[in-house]
Amino acid sequence: MDRFTKDIPVGKETRRFEFTKMQNVNGVKFFITSKDDNNKVISFSLRQKEGKEWKLVPGSLTWLYAIEKELSDAIADTRIE
C-alpha cells in the first residue's frame, strides 16, 4: 500500500488530500480523504479507466467532479502504479 498527500485548489482555498493506493481482486483504486467546508472528514475513491486517467467512483460528492482531473493528475504525477 502506497500513500501520498497533495494540496489541490478547491474554489478559493487549497485543501489537502491524502491518497492511499489499494489493490484487490477488483483491481487498483485510490482511497482518498480530505475535509469539506465544515472541516468534516470526507472519503471517496478513484479507479483507473482507459489509459492513465482516473475517475471518481459513482456516488462521490458533487463538488469533487469539478476537481476530478486534478485528482487524476496527482495520481499520475506520483508514478505509484
Side-chain angles (χ1 to χ4, degrees), residues 4-76:
F4 69 94
T5 60
K6 178 78 175 182
D7 293 336
I8 296 175
V10 177
K12 295 180 181 180
E13 63 182 292
T14 299
R15 295 187 187 165
R16 175 153 293 185
F17 293 84
E18 298 178 9
F19 294 72
T20 302
K21 181 181 177 182
M22 305 176 93
Q23 186 166 359
N24 60 27
V25 294
N26 296 322
V28 176
K29 74 175 182 178
F30 276 85
F31 180 75
I32 304 165
T33 59
S34 188
K35 293 185 179 178
D36 67 10
D37 290 337
N38 299 316
N39 211 30
K40 179 181 173 188
V41 175
I42 60 160
S43 60
F44 57 96
S45 297
L46 274 80
R47 289 199 177 274
Q48 191 170 21
K49 299 298 178 186
E50 294 180 24
K52 294 195 175 221
E53 192 172 41
W54 294 80
K55 293 288 187 181
L56 288 163
V57 172
S60 298
L61 296 169
T62 306
W63 64 268
L64 293 169
Y65 288 92
I67 61 165
E68 185 176 45
K69 181 176 181 345
E70 289 82 356
L71 294 165
S72 178
D73 290 348
I75 294 169

